[in-house]
PDB file of all heavy atoms in Angstrom:
ATOM      1  N   GLN W  47      97.759  90.408  94.197  1.00 91.00           N
ATOM      2  CA  GLN W  47      96.810  89.910  95.193  1.00 91.00           C
ATOM      3  C   GLN W  47      95.472  90.486  95.222  1.00 91.00           C
ATOM      4  O   GLN W  47      95.328  91.727  95.325  1.00 91.00           O
ATOM      5  CB  GLN W  47      97.506  90.125  96.616  1.00 91.00           C
ATOM      6  CG  GLN W  47      98.932  89.479  96.742  1.00 91.00           C
ATOM      7  CD  GLN W  47      98.907  87.974  96.524  1.00 91.00           C
ATOM      8  OE1 GLN W  47      98.141  87.328  97.302  1.00 91.00           O
ATOM      9  NE2 GLN W  47      99.685  87.455  95.642  1.00 91.00           N
ATOM     10  N   LEU W  48      94.426  89.741  94.840  1.00 95.00           N
ATOM     11  CA  LEU W  48      93.121  90.354  94.740  1.00 95.00           C
ATOM     12  C   LEU W  48      92.649  90.689  96.131  1.00 95.00           C
ATOM     13  O   LEU W  48      92.721  90.013  97.144  1.00 95.00           O
ATOM     14  CB  LEU W  48      92.129  89.287  94.221  1.00 95.00           C
ATOM     15  CG  LEU W  48      90.718  89.583  94.045  1.00 95.00           C
ATOM     16  CD1 LEU W  48      90.566  90.747  93.010  1.00 95.00           C
ATOM     17  CD2 LEU W  48      89.859  88.267  93.556  1.00 95.00           C
ATOM     18  N   ALA W  49      92.089  91.982  96.184  1.00 96.00           N
ATOM     19  CA  ALA W  49      91.546  92.546  97.477  1.00 96.00           C
ATOM     20  C   ALA W  49      90.081  92.814  97.523  1.00 96.00           C
ATOM     21  O   ALA W  49      89.557  92.624  98.583  1.00 96.00           O
ATOM     22  CB  ALA W  49      92.355  93.827  97.826  1.00 96.00           C
ATOM     23  N   LEU W  50      89.564  93.180  96.322  1.00 97.00           N
ATOM     24  CA  LEU W  50      88.165  93.635  96.401  1.00 97.00           C
ATOM     25  C   LEU W  50      87.625  93.378  94.959  1.00 97.00           C
ATOM     26  O   LEU W  50      88.245  93.562  93.989  1.00 97.00           O
ATOM     27  CB  LEU W  50      88.027  95.070  96.672  1.00 97.00           C
ATOM     28  CG  LEU W  50      86.664  95.608  97.040  1.00 97.00           C
ATOM     29  CD1 LEU W  50      86.104  95.026  98.243  1.00 97.00           C
ATOM     30  CD2 LEU W  50      86.782  97.201  97.151  1.00 97.00           C
ATOM     31  N   ILE W  51      86.388  92.948  94.898  1.00 98.00           N
ATOM     32  CA  ILE W  51      85.644  92.850  93.596  1.00 98.00           C
ATOM     33  C   ILE W  51      84.350  93.628  93.725  1.00 98.00           C
ATOM     34  O   ILE W  51      83.627  93.473  94.638  1.00 98.00           O
ATOM     35  CB  ILE W  51      85.191  91.266  93.343  1.00 98.00           C
ATOM     36  CG1 ILE W  51      86.479  90.365  93.332  1.00 98.00           C
ATOM     37  CG2 ILE W  51      84.441  91.228  91.917  1.00 98.00           C
ATOM     38  CD1 ILE W  51      86.047  88.906  93.147  1.00 98.00           C
ATOM     39  N   GLN W  52      84.186  94.514  92.790  1.00 98.00           N
ATOM     40  CA  GLN W  52      83.009  95.363  92.684  1.00 98.00           C
ATOM     41  C   GLN W  52      82.131  94.855  91.577  1.00 98.00           C
ATOM     42  O   GLN W  52      82.625  94.701  90.532  1.00 98.00           O
ATOM     43  CB  GLN W  52      83.338  96.856  92.553  1.00 98.00           C
ATOM     44  CG  GLN W  52      84.339  97.420  93.460  1.00 98.00           C
ATOM     45  CD  GLN W  52      85.807  97.480  92.870  1.00 98.00           C
ATOM     46  OE1 GLN W  52      86.433  96.508  92.786  1.00 98.00           O
ATOM     47  NE2 GLN W  52      86.181  98.690  92.528  1.00 98.00           N
ATOM     48  N   ILE W  53      80.838  94.549  91.907  1.00 98.00           N
ATOM     49  CA  ILE W  53      79.923  94.155  90.865  1.00 98.00           C
ATOM     50  C   ILE W  53      78.670  95.043  90.991  1.00 98.00           C
ATOM     51  O   ILE W  53      78.100  95.215  92.015  1.00 98.00           O
ATOM     52  CB  ILE W  53      79.548  92.756  91.096  1.00 98.00           C
ATOM     53  CG1 ILE W  53      80.758  91.818  90.842  1.00 98.00           C
ATOM     54  CG2 ILE W  53      78.391  92.245  90.225  1.00 98.00           C
ATOM     55  CD1 ILE W  53      80.622  90.338  91.134  1.00 98.00           C
ATOM     56  N   ARG W  54      78.220  95.489  89.910  1.00 98.00           N
ATOM     57  CA  ARG W  54      76.916  96.262  89.826  1.00 98.00           C
ATOM     58  C   ARG W  54      75.896  95.409  88.926  1.00 98.00           C
ATOM     59  O   ARG W  54      76.271  95.172  87.800  1.00 98.00           O
ATOM     60  CB  ARG W  54      77.103  97.610  89.383  1.00 98.00           C
ATOM     61  CG  ARG W  54      75.818  98.397  89.324  1.00 98.00           C
ATOM     62  CD  ARG W  54      76.106  99.958  89.478  1.00 98.00           C
ATOM     63  NE  ARG W  54      74.910 100.768  89.504  1.00 98.00           N
ATOM     64  CZ  ARG W  54      74.365 101.303  90.532  1.00 98.00           C
ATOM     65  NH1 ARG W  54      75.022 101.088  91.756  1.00 98.00           N
ATOM     66  NH2 ARG W  54      73.276 102.029  90.420  1.00 98.00           N
ATOM     67  N   VAL W  55      74.819  95.166  89.478  1.00 96.00           N
ATOM     68  CA  VAL W  55      73.751  94.487  88.790  1.00 96.00           C
ATOM     69  C   VAL W  55      72.421  95.370  88.895  1.00 96.00           C
ATOM     70  O   VAL W  55      71.987  95.570  90.003  1.00 96.00           O
ATOM     71  CB  VAL W  55      73.408  93.154  89.491  1.00 96.00           C
ATOM     72  CG1 VAL W  55      72.331  92.387  88.676  1.00 96.00           C
ATOM     73  CG2 VAL W  55      74.653  92.297  89.536  1.00 96.00           C
ATOM     74  N   GLY W  56      71.993  95.881  87.768  1.00 93.00           N
ATOM     75  CA  GLY W  56      70.893  96.763  87.868  1.00 93.00           C
ATOM     76  C   GLY W  56      71.170  97.982  88.743  1.00 93.00           C
ATOM     77  O   GLY W  56      72.240  98.629  88.331  1.00 93.00           O
ATOM     78  N   ASP W  57      70.450  98.270  89.739  1.00 93.00           N
ATOM     79  CA  ASP W  57      70.790  99.357  90.621  1.00 93.00           C
ATOM     80  C   ASP W  57      71.472  99.000  91.898  1.00 93.00           C
ATOM     81  O   ASP W  57      71.589  99.754  92.833  1.00 93.00           O
ATOM     82  CB  ASP W  57      69.362 100.102  90.840  1.00 93.00           C
ATOM     83  CG  ASP W  57      68.812 100.746  89.756  1.00 93.00           C
ATOM     84  OD1 ASP W  57      69.600 101.163  88.807  1.00 93.00           O
ATOM     85  OD2 ASP W  57      67.530 100.885  89.760  1.00 93.00           O
ATOM     86  N   GLU W  58      71.923  97.730  91.912  1.00 96.00           N
ATOM     87  CA  GLU W  58      72.613  97.207  93.169  1.00 96.00           C
ATOM     88  C   GLU W  58      74.056  97.140  93.007  1.00 96.00           C
ATOM     89  O   GLU W  58      74.551  96.627  91.917  1.00 96.00           O
ATOM     90  CB  GLU W  58      72.073  95.956  93.590  1.00 96.00           C
ATOM     91  CG  GLU W  58      70.621  95.940  94.147  1.00 96.00           C
ATOM     92  CD  GLU W  58      70.169  94.595  94.508  1.00 96.00           C
ATOM     93  OE1 GLU W  58      69.857  93.717  93.614  1.00 96.00           O
ATOM     94  OE2 GLU W  58      70.283  94.281  95.743  1.00 96.00           O
TER      95      GLU W  58
END
Side-chain angles (χ1 to χ4, degrees):
Q47 303 296 307
L48 181 61
L50 190 67
I51 303 172
Q52 305 101 284
I53 294 175
R54 184 156 177 102
V55 184
D57 293 331
E58 291 183 279

